[in-house]
Amino acid sequence: MDQREEQEFAEYFAARREAVRRMAYMMCGDWHRADDLAQTAFIALHRHWRKVRDKGALDAYVRRTLSRAVIDESRRPWRRERFTDVLPDRPAESGAVDDGIATRQTLVAGLREVPPKQRAVLVLRFLEGLDVAGVAEVMKCSEGTVKSQSARGLEALREALGGQLDDLRSTS
């Protein structure tokens, strides 16, 4: 890459770094993995920067790369971790937790229970604000697949959040 292209990439990276990192976090539920996944997406973009003809489609390229990276990462054997409700060395609870923080933590915990493809569809559709056609384009699948994955993902999320949703409703 020449100096001008390197500068263009650096500007895009600086402008979109945090948004891509947040999207990755919503897909995987772990800030460390989100950093790795965002880095993977930006490395792929840097590698193909010269080939990208439409610079207006960079966000779509990064979203597609990120969602594929999340799905691929979930298939690796060492990623089949078991989560536990009891963590060692938990800090003592002093005072009430802000409802916004509790709600976000509840959502992320619920998203962890949703299968990776459905989770990617839910994040792209409802948190990134893409329409069905946009998600289908990012995921390289049909609109019908997006709709069915969205419906199944929402059902899995409702099931995962079942008791927690009741707790949130009663405190609101």
Side-chain angles (χ1 to χ4, degrees):
M1 255 195 291
D2 64 18
Q3 189 66 20
R4 181 186 55 80
E5 291 171 328
E6 222 25 88
Q7 181 63 31
E8 287 176 353
F9 176 79
E11 289 171 3
Y12 178 78
F13 174 76
R16 298 296 297 156
R17 171 181 48 210
E18 286 304 313
V20 171
R21 184 174 176 254
R22 280 191 308 271
M23 182 172 46
Y25 174 73
M26 294 308 293
M27 287 185 181
C28 72
D30 180 311
W31 282 113
H32 299 290
R33 282 183 60 206
D35 288 335
D36 292 343
L37 292 164
Q39 180 179 0
T40 299
F42 281 118
I43 288 171
L45 177 63
H46 187 269
R47 193 175 319 132
H48 296 101
W49 188 261
R50 285 184 170 213
K51 296 177 184 177
V52 177
R53 289 185 213 125
D54 182 10
K55 299 295 186 200
L58 290 173
D59 286 344
Y61 181 85
V62 170
R63 277 194 297 267
R64 178 179 298 134
T65 304
L66 182 63
S67 61
R68 287 181 179 169
V70 170
I71 292 167
D72 289 346
E73 185 74 12
S74 70
R75 292 179 180 155
R76 296 199 172 120
W78 59 84
R79 287 295 180 199
R80 295 185 190 129
E81 301 169 345
R82 301 284 180 218
F83 292 102
T84 179
D85 290 334
V86 180
L87 298 175
D89 301 325
R90 282 186 89 145
E93 298 197 20
S94 58
V97 176
D98 182 30
D99 287 341
I101 293 171
T103 303
R104 179 179 299 158
Q105 289 173 343
T106 302
L107 176 63
V108 170
L111 281 171
R112 283 188 192 132
E113 302 296 317
V114 177
K117 284 185 182 179
Q118 294 172 8
R119 185 181 328 138
V121 168
L122 292 178
V123 169
L124 291 170
R125 181 85 173 89
F126 299 107
L127 298 174
E128 282 296 306
L130 295 178
D131 60 359
V132 173
V135 175
E137 185 178 328
V138 168
M139 301 286 292
K140 291 279 191 194
C141 62
S142 70
E143 291 183 18
T145 300
V146 171
K147 291 175 185 177
S148 67
Q149 291 292 307
S150 181
R152 290 182 185 134
L154 287 172
E155 184 59 36
L157 185 60
R158 281 186 195 103
E159 187 175 308
L161 297 176
Q164 295 171 349
L165 284 177
D166 296 333
D167 293 343
L168 286 175
R169 287 185 189 126
S170 65
T171 60
S172 297

